[in-house]
Amino acid sequence: MFNTDWQKSSFSSSAGECVEVRTTDGAVEIRESDTGEVIVRTSPTKFAKFLQGAKAGEFDHHADFNS
């Protein structure tokens, strides 16, 4: 698993409000495109668990779906 290219979320808007993800050096990195210098690093296993929770709606109460 090695991909240094950032992948933009298909749910991100074209106005620069993008969440991007990449894998590098055995870790998963996540950033917002407008603050690209701030990068969150985690393990592939922890990222997979987060995605499972997100897909199940576990974090929906934190979101503003009206904007």
Side-chain angles (χ1 to χ4, degrees), residues 3-7 18-25 27-43 47:
N3 180 3
T4 59
D5 295 329
W6 289 101
Q7 179 181 353
C18 306
V19 175
E20 298 175 319
V21 179
R22 73 177 178 182
T23 54
T24 184
D25 297 329
V28 176
E29 296 184 336
I30 308 158
R31 71 177 184 180
E32 292 187 45
S33 61
D34 58 344
T35 54
E37 69 278 0
V38 178
I39 297 172
V40 176
R41 290 179 57 105
T42 190
S43 72
F47 185 63

Side-chain angles (χ1 to χ4, degrees), residues 49-62:
K49 295 289 186 184
F50 171 77
L51 289 178
Q52 286 177 331
K55 288 178 182 179
E58 185 175 335
F59 309 110
D60 286 358
H61 64 283
H62 294 290

